[in-house]
Amino acid sequence: MAEKNYIVKIEDAKNFVVSSMVAIGTQPSHAQALADVLVLADQRGHYSHGLNRLEKYVNEVKSKSVIVENDPFIEKETVSTALVNGNNAMGCVVGNFAMSVAIKKAKEAGVGWVAANHSNHYGIAGMYSLQAVEQGLMGFSFTNSSPFLVPTRSKERYLGTNPITCAAPSTNPDDPFVLDMATTAVAQGKVEVAKRKDVKLPNGWGTNSSGENCTDPREVLKSGGLYPLGGPEETSGYKGSGLAMMVEILCGILSGSHYGSNVRTWQSNEGYANLGQCFIAVNPEMFAPGFQARLADLMKGYRELKPADGQEAILVAGDPERLAMKKVEEDGGILYHPNFITYLDGLAKECQVEKIARQLHD
């Protein structure tokens, strides 16, 4: 008999994150910021970056590689730019602060560009670009991360998954354009989820220690790595490698943080991560009028393209997440695999808090 999945209400998921983090000494406001970004990831269907990541944050706080008492601050600024010192606070706290600075500057000067150093893993990049959209602005965000990308022609990890996000408002406030993607073939967290579910990876996701295609998530995580976006060289993986380098320049090089192989390895809590991040807000009203209407028309035309034989509807960036959120609303909560609930129960025991509230999914 197949194991049944569980449904967890959004508020119950957030409460579990907050209680777990507060129990180990995190400021309540910082714990809430973490709950917001992790649960939003699961709501939007990005399980790789949701509660799947909670153990990492717990370990960082317990090892004191993240300083829970600290808050980020501005080191230097101009009317349209700023350098933020994350002060080794939680990445989501740094991200919220830095994007708020970029938004303020964009409203005053048309563009706000903020680089941040001494930061940590900040969750889904789209969290921050969407904050700009809520203010009628275009938003961009980027972050470097622990080396996991194996560049084209190499068999060694050198760059992180280095995500890119761009979000822009249309005339329908519920229908912005939201691109949120890794510059690797897939996010590292999806390999972790496959490991937890005990399933093989598709071809073209990861490599073994020799730089060859590998479908075993354990081997990819332990001694291999991820292909760049595009896969091997013959399918243009060098373009993904180039995009990852671009993100590294915007984040690690521009902010003066760690970069490339200088970033500590994934799941290591030795020393401080000192990640670099970049946040940009742009006021489209400073350019040609009618931006939102033109974007809505662009997306409408894209969606109305005739599907290829055997294919379903054409999706604009952000559509898969809207569908995921709609399903969460219909289900009355977020759907989780039983193995994942077991993992959360283990975290509850470790943090000495109540297990996450859940109910069996019919």
Side-chain angles (χ1 to χ4, degrees):
M1 181 177 172
E3 293 179 290
K4 288 190 174 183
N5 292 321
Y6 290 89
I7 288 287
V8 176
K9 294 179 180 178
I10 292 171
E11 277 308 305
D12 289 334
K14 288 185 177 182
N15 290 340
F16 178 74
V17 174
V18 171
S19 62
S20 297
M21 297 304 295
V22 169
I24 59 172
T26 308
Q27 295 183 52
S29 61
H30 290 195
Q32 186 63 58
L34 180 63
D36 289 343
V37 69
L38 294 188
V39 175
L40 180 65
D42 283 346
Q43 275 183 272
R44 293 177 67 81
H46 294 296
Y47 286 98
S48 58
H49 281 63
L51 269 64
N52 176 61
R53 285 276 182 261
L54 183 56
E55 182 180 23
K56 175 176 175 58
Y57 295 103
V58 168
N59 290 339
E60 286 180 338
V61 170
K62 293 179 89 171
S63 68
K64 300 189 183 304
S65 65
V66 167
I67 310 301
V68 294
E69 299 86 5
N70 286 3
D71 287 297
F73 60 91
I74 296 174
E75 276 195 354
K76 64 179 181 179
E77 63 179 324
T78 69
V79 65
S80 60
T81 66
L83 175 65
V84 165
N85 187 320
N87 205 16
N88 206 47
M90 295 180 68
C92 55
V93 174
V94 178
N96 288 341
F97 177 80
M99 184 50 91
S100 71
V101 173
I103 288 171
K104 182 175 184 294
K105 291 181 179 299
K107 288 183 175 181
E108 295 171 351
V111 176
W113 188 308
V114 178
N117 55 31
H118 297 287
S119 190
N120 289 282
H121 193 277
Y122 71 176
I124 55 169
M127 173 81 169
Y128 309 101
S129 58
L130 281 167
Q131 289 173 6
V133 167
E134 289 170 1
Q135 301 297 316
L137 308 172
M138 293 178 65
F140 302 82
S141 185
F142 316 85
T143 181
N144 67 6
S145 55
S146 299
F148 215 76
L149 179 148
V150 178
T152 302
R153 299 191 180 185
S154 175
K155 63 178 182 180
E156 296 181 89
R157 302 175 183 178
Y158 189 69
L159 301 170
T161 57
N162 292 14
I164 293 172
T165 179
C166 166
S170 74
T171 47
N172 181 351
D174 296 323
D175 189 26
F177 174 86
V178 189
L179 175 70
D180 184 357
M181 60 175 236
T183 52
T184 45
V186 68
Q188 179 184 337
K190 291 189 177 180
V191 181
E192 295 169 344
V193 170
K195 177 186 173 184
R196 187 162 285 125
K197 290 183 176 181
D198 195 27
V199 297
K200 286 188 175 297
L201 304 177
N203 287 320
W205 278 22
T207 73
N208 58 21
S209 58
S210 298
E212 301 164 334
N213 183 71
C214 181
T215 60
D216 182 349
R218 289 168 178 79
E219 189 172 355
V220 170
L221 292 168
K222 183 179 179 180
S223 57
L226 293 175
Y227 276 115
L229 185 66
E233 184 171 5
E234 56 266 28
T235 52
S236 301
Y238 54 87
K239 295 180 181 179
S241 292
L243 285 172
M245 283 287 280
M246 181 195 77
V247 172
E248 197 66 64
I249 293 167
L250 293 173
C251 297
I253 306 303
L254 191 64
S255 73
S257 71
H258 288 165
Y259 57 88
S261 59
N262 298 308
V263 179
R264 73 183 184 191
T265 57
W266 185 248
Q267 299 296 7
S268 169
N269 295 316
E270 294 183 10
Y272 297 145
N274 190 11
L275 296 185
Q277 290 154 357
C278 182
F279 305 85
I280 305 168
V282 179
N283 185 352
E285 292 185 5
M286 298 297 101
F287 300 88
F291 174 89
Q292 295 189 14
R294 287 195 304 277
L295 177 58
D297 183 61
L298 175 69
M299 294 195 294
K300 178 176 181 292
Y302 191 99
R303 290 175 176 134
E304 290 176 351
L305 292 170
K306 293 180 180 179
D309 292 345
Q311 297 298 318
E312 298 179 359
I314 313 300
L315 301 179
V316 171
D319 285 347
E321 290 82 358
R322 276 183 279 275
L323 292 171
M325 294 184 79
K326 181 181 179 182
K327 187 175 189 311
V328 168
E329 184 178 356
E330 292 171 350
D331 289 343
I334 303 167
L335 189 68
Y336 290 113
H337 190 277
N339 290 359
F340 189 76
I341 293 296
T342 300
Y343 151 75
L344 292 180
D345 287 348
L347 276 179
K349 183 177 181 180
E350 179 181 343
C351 297
Q352 298 183 335
V353 297
E354 292 291 324
K355 293 180 179 179
I356 193 167
R358 84 296 294 263
Q359 60 189 53
L360 280 172
H361 180 60
D362 294 332

